[in-house]
Amino acid sequence: MEQKKEKGNIMEKIATIIVDKRNLFFLLYIFAIVFCIFSMGWTLVENDVTKYLSEETETRQGLETMNDNFVTTADARVLISNITYDDAKALYDEIVEVDGVSMVTFNNTEEHYKNANALMAITFGAGPLETPSMNALAEIKEILAGYDVAYDTAVGYDENAELKEQMALILVVAVVIIVIALVLTSTAYMEVPVLLLTFGIAALLNMGTNFMIGKISFISDSVAVVLQLALAIDYAIILAHRYSAEHEIMPAREACIAALSKAIPEITASSMTTISGLAALGFMEFGIGLDMAIVLIKSIFLSLLSVFTLMPGLLMLFTPLIDKTKHKKLLPDVSMIGRFAVKTRYIIPPIFVVVIIAAFFLSNACPYCYSYNDLQTANMSEKQVAYQKVKSIFGTSNMVAVMVPTGNYEAEAAILEELGACDEVKSTMGLANMELMDGYMLTDALTPREFSELLGLDYEIAEVLYSAYIMDGEEYGRLLGVDGVKIPLFDMFCFLKDTIDESGIVLEGDMAEMVEMLDMLDMAKEQLQSENYSRMVVYLNLPEEGEETYAFLDKIHEITDKHYEDTVYVIGNSTSSRDLSASFAKDNLIITILSIVFVIAVLLFTFQSAGLPVLLIVVIQGSIWINFAVPTITQTPLYFLGYLVVNAIQMGANIDYAIVISSHYRELKEKLPPMEAIVVAVNKAFPTIFTSGTIMASAGILLTVISTQPVISILGGCIGRGTLISMGLVLFVLPGILVLGDKIIEKTSFEMKGIELGEREETGTMLVNGRVRGYVAGYMDADVNGALHGRVHALIATGDDLEVLEEDPDAVEKAKAELKNMQSLNLHSSITEAKGKGGVGNEK
């Protein structure tokens, strides 16, 4: 018996240590806060979502190969409106001379001049965030001052810094909304600072420990704080309400210990559905799912840690102020919602079934997209506005890069020629089809005499150059017949450029003009040829996504495979979209199945009924289908990642709303008829659903309204809309389903030996040693160690003791004496608690 008593009090012992050692915990948190303030800056952020593709995909392999072999420079599309062509040509001549500008493409074709709009394609000599490019763009803006100009460029555009500014604004607005929601559902105004401090420190701990993961995506880095707030603040609210109830009959310390000991298992159980939903993300083939799962699950655990170890001390610290700022219940009574659900229980649930069937088919027809370049957000950056303006006038250009092993110019020329003949191709560009002069292509091989005639050089000079080229390559055998040797123009020019740079030779006359051409070719070499690969650029007449586009990517491989046995890479937004769409098909199935399986497992353990979890899952899964039927109805493209992430979050988090009502309903129907119990259950659950749902929906709506990043904005929109739909279904549809399915729930209930509660109904005198939940001259849910006399209809923990004594005066007196003795020794606080509730221990 002694062993059981210690086991039953383990939570109370833990709570006592936390409350009594609160100053030590305060000190530890101060150290952690200081550390995290510095460590936040150590987190590396990845802005390219394609880095999270499987290493086996062509996009991932091609991008890594291209980054290793080619210099990445910045570019810009500059749109000048309301201008004549001659004026635009004059501006072009100025821009070409700007330091830091490598090339400007502009001509009198519809690709660059249309309806008094001039479009200049500018290539810079450095990266988008490097000083030469930013200085060049600043000078271009000075040249174009006074004109109607739009700049579609990444030069000087730090998306990560912009996201941080927007998230800071979102967080400020979210805190205001949260404060309002918490005030409405709190019992004292000064509870709110305690909740905000608990959450704020948990969020800081999460951000300060992200560096331990290595590198996280910009999506996780941006939305983690807001989602952590929306997902985890419920835990602090549960403990605050527990403490408020206990403090009505106990001093602060004892109330805090009692509240924490009861809240730990309750909050832990509540968090399991959220964690299980997020865990499903970790099984995605697309690596960003694991990235988000790790960051968000870590945020949940750190929130639990803060609630369990920091918040009790804060409650003790703020208790005097909490006691002074008590207020009346501010939320209205919503019994009418429950009564409406009861009256329409034969109408609303059947309609809901029809709606979710339709929503299932509509959500499966959702217009997913895998590139977010063309997506418009509610709040657009200057760069996005410029892109949309250019797109509306000149359209978009779908470009793919074809990377082949370097050194075979004939094969490159054949590939470019065959691709250029395809109807799906607008134009091609590569060294092999770049015209130099007099009809010669840059990669054409010429003899010394042809070379001298082309450039107007003395033949003897051409021979010397060819001999020097051959000796540099250590191909001495070719020196015997140099006159017949053919060398590609591009290779010869590159050799000349390197020789001039290394020797410091100053060329004059006709040769001096060639130096300018060599400088232009140097840029072409950086962009189109490396030591190992040649890069060809193909502009398609096809959209970035679609089966026709994906089929043509296969055709490109068919053409290149004729000339190369080695790996050839086709890289671009279309390739990325194809790889993402392939992973989406698998990830969608994995997320849907695992999130449901994980949540059902948690619900089975919680409710010990096979029927109830199914009913709850149907409601929440129905809200997910309705959520993603909206893009189909409005024909609004939905970025695929929004579906995957929100599917898991909505299942894991919004299921809590259904659990709250169901829990209240199951407790209340023990003493009330089902139709009355559901009315009271809805009313009791409303504050929790209102608080959690308002915070989650507000966070999502703020993300979609304020963020200019399409992925973040879409995630927010889906989360906000999905939460509102879940709240509506849980309040107006689920009550009727619970009443109608009451027999199913009861018939599918089961017991788990050693853990569950077994229902007992006894009359007379009995000794109890264990957990009791039910009616003993009134409802109770407590640990009991003593004697009872009367009628017992309750759930008693399996494996605990309930011994019915014979009905004789001596047995009754013996039971009373034992109960009185245990009360005097204060062996179990549950007896005192039960007496205060009018339950166990009331003797008549």
Side-chain angles (χ1 to χ4, degrees), residues 546-584:
E547 293 304 320
E548 185 181 3
T549 302
Y550 302 154
F552 189 71
L553 294 178
D554 292 333
K555 185 175 181 179
I556 293 177
H557 276 289
E558 291 175 7
I559 293 172
T560 58
D561 288 347
K562 298 176 185 176
H563 306 278
Y564 294 95
E565 294 182 0
D566 296 328
T567 302
V568 172
Y569 297 105
V570 180
I571 313 153
N573 287 339
S574 291
T575 312
S576 173
S577 296
R578 181 179 63 178
D579 290 339
L580 289 171
S581 66
S583 69
F584 172 72

Side-chain angles (χ1 to χ4, degrees), residues 122-381:
I122 303 173
T123 302
F124 298 90
L129 297 179
E130 295 182 29
T131 301
S133 298
M134 292 190 285
N135 289 342
L137 182 62
E139 189 172 342
I140 292 171
K141 288 184 176 180
E142 288 182 9
I143 294 172
L144 299 178
Y147 290 91
D148 183 5
V149 187
Y151 299 92
D152 176 20
T153 180
V155 173
Y157 178 65
D158 189 343
E159 185 178 41
N160 198 33
E162 184 180 71
L163 270 175
K164 288 186 182 298
E165 292 178 5
Q166 293 170 357
M167 297 312 297
L169 175 60
I170 289 170
L171 198 56
V172 169
V173 180
V175 167
V176 173
I177 295 173
I178 288 169
V179 168
I180 296 172
L182 293 178
V183 168
L184 290 174
T185 56
S186 66
T187 59
Y189 294 112
M190 288 308 294
E191 285 180 359
V192 176
V194 173
L195 299 174
L196 293 179
L197 279 171
T198 302
F199 165 76
I201 292 173
L204 181 62
L205 293 178
N206 194 48
M207 291 187 290
T209 54
N210 280 335
F211 77 93
M212 298 168 63
I213 301 172
K215 182 180 284 189
I216 66 173
S217 69
F218 74 92
I219 300 174
S220 299
D221 184 56
S222 300
V223 305
V225 175
V226 177
L227 290 184
Q228 182 181 1
L229 180 153
L231 293 171
I233 202 167
D234 278 359
Y235 311 147
I237 295 172
I238 291 171
L239 180 56
H241 288 178
R242 277 282 187 186
Y243 174 71
S244 178
E246 299 291 345
H247 189 40
E248 291 181 2
I249 57 174
M250 294 183 188
R253 176 184 175 278
E254 288 71 17
C256 201
I257 293 171
L260 182 59
S261 64
K262 295 174 182 177
I264 289 176
E266 181 181 352
I267 293 171
T268 303
S270 175
S271 69
M272 290 307 298
T273 54
T274 302
I275 292 172
S276 61
L278 294 174
L281 289 173
F283 291 86
M284 286 171 54
E285 180 180 310
F286 189 32
I288 208 162
L290 180 60
D291 175 82
M292 293 193 69
I294 292 173
V295 174
L296 291 176
I297 290 176
K298 178 165 67 72
S299 76
I300 298 297
F301 281 122
L302 290 171
S303 296
L304 291 172
L305 181 68
S306 298
V307 170
F308 293 157
T309 61
L310 173 65
M311 189 174 169
L314 293 175
L315 286 171
M316 292 291 293
L317 188 65
F318 278 79
T319 288
L321 293 174
I322 292 174
D323 291 341
K324 292 178 181 178
T325 58
K326 294 281 186 180
H327 61 75
K328 295 180 180 179
K329 181 181 177 182
L330 300 177
L331 283 181
D333 183 284
V334 293
S335 298
M336 66 287 226
I337 296 178
R339 288 193 289 269
F340 171 80
V342 170
K343 290 180 180 178
T344 59
R345 64 187 182 280
Y346 296 112
I347 301 174
I348 297 297
I351 293 176
F352 170 68
V353 171
V354 175
V355 169
I356 63 169
I357 291 174
F360 168 76
F361 290 104
L362 288 172
S363 63
N364 284 338
C366 190
Y368 298 112
C369 62
Y370 304 93
S371 171
Y372 54 81
N373 291 332
D374 292 329
L375 297 178
Q376 298 187 39
T377 57
N379 178 31
M380 292 199 295
S381 65

Side-chain angles (χ1 to χ4, degrees), residues 70-82:
F70 292 95
V71 176
T72 301
T73 58
D75 55 26
R77 292 195 301 171
V78 179
L79 175 65
I80 311 171
S81 300
N82 305 312

Side-chain angles (χ1 to χ4, degrees), residues 64 206 259 447 537 744-745:
E64 290 178 352
N206 194 48
T447 64
V537 180
I744 297 175
I745 296 171

Side-chain angles (χ1 to χ4, degrees), residues 439-478:
Y440 283 105
M441 296 300 171
L442 192 54
T443 56
D444 286 347
L446 275 64
T447 64
R449 186 169 300 283
E450 291 170 332
F451 184 76
S452 65
E453 292 174 355
L454 176 66
L455 297 179
L457 298 175
D458 289 338
Y459 175 68
E460 289 77 10
I461 295 177
E463 280 190 314
V464 171
L465 290 175
Y466 269 58
S467 297
Y469 178 91
I470 292 171
M471 293 180 66
D472 184 70
E474 298 182 354
E475 301 177 74
Y476 303 111
R478 300 175 69 186

